[in-house]
Amino acid sequence: PAAGVDFCSNDYLGLRRDPRLAEAAAAAAHEHGSGAGGARLLRGTTPLHDELEAALAHWKGTEACLLFNTGFQANATLIPALAGTGDAVFSDALNHASLVDGCRLARAGGAHLGLYRHLDLTDLAAQLAAWRASAPAEALALVATDAVFSMDGDAADLPALLELCDRHGALLLIDEAHATGLLGADGAGLAQHQGVHGRMPLVTGTLGKALGAFGAFVCCDALLREHLLNTARGFIFSTALPPPVVGAALMGVRLARAEPWRRERALAHAAHLRHALGQAQAPSAIVPVPVGPDAEAMRLAARLQAHGFDVRAVRPPTVPEGSARLRITTGAHLEASQVLALVEALALEAPGA
């Protein structure tokens, strides 16, 4: 159950309780029904689905977009739909579980799987070069990475990754789940923040974090969308997102773009918290507090909840053994005074934090 002021959800822009999303959901339900009634290739597509896909593609700077029901489903479905026998996928060692499982499914389908050290592009380049030396010229090399990593809030170097992938003839897939709505001039994500907006060939993301709704998307070119439409099993064999969810998500996209104060406030809170904790700055609203032992992380979380702050401990297997931590997130719903009060409670309960 919730325990105090929210410092643990992914509701970065404070939109999940915005009445405008609720009103958009209600309007969509009245017009299109409470459920989609079938998969997208049958009866499940409404004009709202098409409108949301067009809005997301425009925002991300791609030709096309395809909605999925969850971010896990999108990543786990997308990768094996692209890479199979004779191909290769290369995954950052700290990627989200959905990317990890997508890569494992591709390996089960005959693809080579390479794990490169976290954010280590020298290691990735060496693995790509070694694989390319013996692979057929037409074989696909897919590099998959989180844009912002969910446990530490650090970010990939997208310009360098693009250059490396171009050099080795690889396709780059980035998951902007924790960047969409928060980063860039109008919240389009890390690619926009790092100056490579519109150059990403394959972008996944979620509608259930900063956008306040539910579901996920893959943004890509029109040809790749057509391929996924006919090969991505998680898309083909799933009932479409309900119209009320799609209506709420569409409103979330509009508000994320139109109200920049939301992301500015969420990121300012995170910067303040990192500064107070003596941490290096990072382009995200995720602030980890390393603890180590599982029991100590649980104790600290319980003590902060007793002070009125909903902070949660993250333990193995979500993070490696011995690296349990508090995963603190900030959002537009917070007041500066609440961030300051959390800093004071952390100093009291975890003097070394």
Side-chain angles (χ1 to χ4, degrees):
V5 181
D6 175 15
F7 276 97
C8 71
S9 80
N10 297 317
D11 183 24
Y12 300 123
L13 302 184
L15 288 176
R16 73 183 181 92
R17 291 188 177 274
D18 192 293
R20 291 168 292 183
L21 269 71
E23 290 162 5
H30 284 298
E31 184 172 357
H32 300 288
S34 59
R40 288 288 302 280
L41 296 180
L42 295 176
R43 184 77 183 198
T45 296
T46 70
L48 279 177
H49 291 81
D50 294 333
E51 188 176 356
L52 179 55
E53 287 177 341
L56 288 165
H58 177 73
W59 197 20
K60 292 291 183 178
T62 61
E63 280 186 346
C65 174
L66 191 63
L67 293 175
F68 284 78
N69 286 12
T70 70
F72 203 105
Q73 180 198 56
N75 286 333
T77 294
L78 168 66
I79 296 172
L82 294 176
T85 302
D87 300 321
V89 289
F90 298 89
S91 177
D92 187 290
L94 293 187
N95 273 342
H96 187 266
S98 58
L99 289 171
V100 170
D101 282 8
C103 291
R104 288 171 174 169
L105 285 170
R107 180 176 60 185
H112 166 79
L113 174 57
L115 295 179
Y116 63 93
R117 292 186 294 270
H118 180 50
L119 300 180
D120 188 338
L121 300 194
T122 300
D123 184 27
L124 173 59
Q127 291 194 41
L128 276 167
W131 178 79
R132 274 288 178 211
S134 58
E138 69 277 7
L140 171 71
L142 177 68
V143 174
T145 182
D146 281 320
V148 169
F149 289 82
S150 60
M151 288 298 107
D152 293 311
D154 50 349
D157 184 343
L158 299 184
L161 272 167
L162 267 179
E163 190 279 327
L164 190 155
C165 287
D166 286 345
R167 185 161 21 107
H168 292 278
L171 180 68
L172 178 60
L173 160 63
I174 64 168
D175 181 348
E176 291 207 295
H178 293 276
T180 298
L182 269 178
L183 301 180
D186 76 340
L190 184 67
Q192 189 178 62
H193 177 73
Q194 293 185 342
V196 288
H197 182 244
R199 292 178 55 195
M200 293 294 116
L202 200 51
V203 181
T204 64
T206 177
L207 307 170
K209 294 181 171 61
L211 301 182
F214 183 76
F217 58 85
V218 176
C219 286
C220 54
D221 64 33
L223 185 62
L224 186 49
R225 182 186 187 276
E226 189 67 19
H227 173 76
L228 295 174
L229 197 70
N230 292 285
T231 60
R233 292 170 62 84
F235 171 84
I236 297 168
F237 299 106
S238 292
T239 297
L241 284 171
V245 170
V246 179
L250 185 57
M251 180 59 70
V253 171
R254 291 169 177 162
L255 295 179
R257 301 189 70 180
E259 299 181 351
W261 66 267
R262 293 179 178 275
R263 58 181 171 274
E264 291 164 3
R265 185 167 175 171
L267 293 172
H269 287 329
H272 181 113
L273 187 53
R274 287 192 196 94
H275 176 75
L277 295 175
Q279 296 184 8
Q281 293 300 325
S284 77
I286 301 165
V287 183
V289 178
V291 177
D294 295 5
E296 179 63 7
M298 294 296 290
R299 184 195 72 80
L300 285 175
R303 291 301 304 152
L304 291 172
Q305 289 172 16
H307 283 286
F309 305 104
D310 193 4
V311 173
R312 307 295 176 98
V314 179
R315 299 169 290 162
T318 305
V319 294
E321 290 288 344
S323 67
R325 81 279 308 268
L326 305 179
R327 180 186 182 270
I328 299 174
T329 58
T330 59
H333 58 283
L334 296 170
E335 301 291 339
S337 59
Q338 293 172 319
V339 178
L340 178 60
L342 175 63
V343 170
E344 292 172 348
L346 277 167
L348 177 66
E349 299 294 344

